[in-house]
Amino acid sequence: MKRLGVNIDHVATIRNARGEFHPDPFEAALFAKKKGANSITIHLREDRRHINDKDAKKICSIDNLFVNLEISTNNNIVKNALKIKPKFVCIVPENRNEITTEGGLELKRNKKKIKKIISLFKNKKIRTSLFINPNIKDIKLSKEIKTDCIEIHTGNFSNLVKSKRNFTKEFLKIKNCSVLATKMGIEVHAGHGLDYKSTKILRKIKEIKEFNIGHFIIGESIFYGLAYVIRKFKKLIRD
Ligand code: PXP
């Protein structure tokens, strides 16, 4: 069965726009779980522009909730995450001025550092994932780094689908990487920029075990409600 991870960062974005307490990402995590989310993703960014440390601690302490904490390779963030002890951690690249995570990790350049970070989390029995671009070299490097999972950045694919351009080449890249990673014993996740249409296409790749979706889910919920949108995605990714 494919899993749906709901990224609730933008619940915090809306809360922070007022500087008050509503809507509460903690409540959103509980609600999303109740409505069928298999896991909750939160990104503790270096600039804390949405989820903050208090949110992360509170959300990661919810019993029986799989929280996937996205973090950069920044030393303080890593130290913090080791203290927060999420069930999963996903290492992502982070640039100060980006609007969102623009691409996958530069594994070749940062191999030593990322390998060390992965081992720190594995020692604490925290499952690890690397957010990477769909290319074969990065799958091989992921294996050397000894991550449990990878999350393939689907941003380019999503943009092609949204702009009604030919996405076959990008789809095949994602598929080939998913097949190779699975053969190597790495679990495959996918995420970034996904909506109903792009998810429906990618669900055909049987090796993808989890979709992590944020912006579209929260945006669409304004019109149809979070429960409805989660239900629709769950139906859509059903094997
Ligand atoms: N997966 C990862 C690793 C991400 O960094 C993000 C964005 O924070 C997402 C999934 C969700 O992307 P989107 O908000 O575009 O659905």
Side-chain angles (χ1 to χ4, degrees):
M1 205 187 74
K2 294 191 193 304
R3 299 187 302 270
L4 176 68
V6 176
N7 180 318
I8 57 165
D9 288 343
H10 295 307
V11 173
T13 305
I14 297 170
R15 175 198 60 191
N16 295 354
R18 266 297 160 102
E20 294 176 5
F21 306 104
H22 186 270
D24 185 350
F26 176 77
E27 294 298 329
L30 290 174
F31 185 84
K33 183 190 178 225
K34 194 165 143 206
K35 297 301 171 189
N38 300 104
S39 60
I40 298 296
T41 297
I42 50 175
H43 185 172
L44 188 63
R45 294 189 72 101
E46 288 166 30
D47 61 7
R48 309 297 197 276
R49 69 171 74 149
H50 34 60
I51 292 291
N52 60 38
D53 297 64
K54 209 169 143 200
D55 296 324
K57 269 190 211 134
K58 225 174 140 191
I59 293 167
C60 288
S61 69
I62 300 173
D63 278 342
N64 302 322
L65 179 75
F66 290 102
V67 180
N68 172 28
L69 183 68
E70 290 178 10
I71 54 162
S72 72
T73 55
N74 173 286
N75 290 342
N76 288 330
I77 290 276
V78 170
K79 257 193 234 158
N80 225 349
L82 285 162
K83 274 194 226 142
I84 293 172
K85 285 199 209 116
K87 305 256 187 336
F88 300 109
V89 79
C90 180
I91 316 287
V92 304
E94 209 174 286
N95 299 314
R96 184 117 336 236
N97 294 321
E98 67 187 4
I99 291 173
T100 181
T101 318
E102 283 161 355
L105 290 159
E106 288 199 39
L107 287 189
K108 196 169 172 206
R109 184 143 61 97
N110 302 303
K111 187 176 154 190
K112 216 170 134 196
K113 184 170 189 188
I114 295 172
K115 197 170 177 183
K116 171 85 190 133
I117 296 172
I118 290 287
S119 75
L120 290 174
F121 285 103
K122 287 186 99 167
N123 287 344
K124 294 226 171 206
K125 310 241 175 314
I126 295 169
R127 203 158 188 231
T128 57
S129 185
L130 297 176
F131 197 33
I132 62 168
N133 292 316
N135 73 62
I136 296 292
K137 274 191 195 143
D138 283 345
I139 302 293
K140 291 179 181 162
L141 283 166
S142 298
K143 180 72 187 165
E144 288 172 32
I145 290 171
K146 297 194 169 77
T147 183
D148 300 305
C149 315
I150 51 159
E151 178 166 332
I152 297 181
H153 193 297
T154 53
N156 284 344
F157 174 78
S158 300
N159 286 338
L160 291 169
V161 175
K162 272 178 216 157
S163 58
K164 298 191 167 59
R165 280 180 287 158
N166 190 334
F167 55 75
T168 311
K169 204 169 141 200
E170 195 65 23
F171 176 86
L172 288 175
K173 270 206 249 172
I174 297 173
K175 186 177 161 66
N176 293 339
C177 286
S178 303
V179 170
L180 179 65
T182 304
K183 267 192 198 145
M184 290 177 155
I186 304 171
E187 185 173 293
V188 180
H189 306 161
H192 209 274
L194 294 172
D195 58 13
Y196 293 136
K197 202 170 168 193
S198 44
T199 307
K200 199 169 169 186
I201 302 167
L202 289 181
R203 79 171 278 289
K204 292 179 197 141
I205 303 176
K206 71 172 193 311
E207 287 79 8
I208 298 178
K209 299 297 176 201
E210 180 176 303
F211 289 102
N212 286 315
I213 308 173
H215 188 266
F216 182 81
I217 289 184
I218 303 303
E220 192 74 351
S221 296
I222 293 170
F223 303 108
Y224 303 102
L226 188 54
Y228 172 84
V229 180
I230 290 174
R231 229 178 14 253
K232 195 160 165 178
F233 266 112
K234 286 288 300 256
K235 217 167 143 190
L236 199 127
I237 63 173
R238 203 174 285 158
D239 286 319

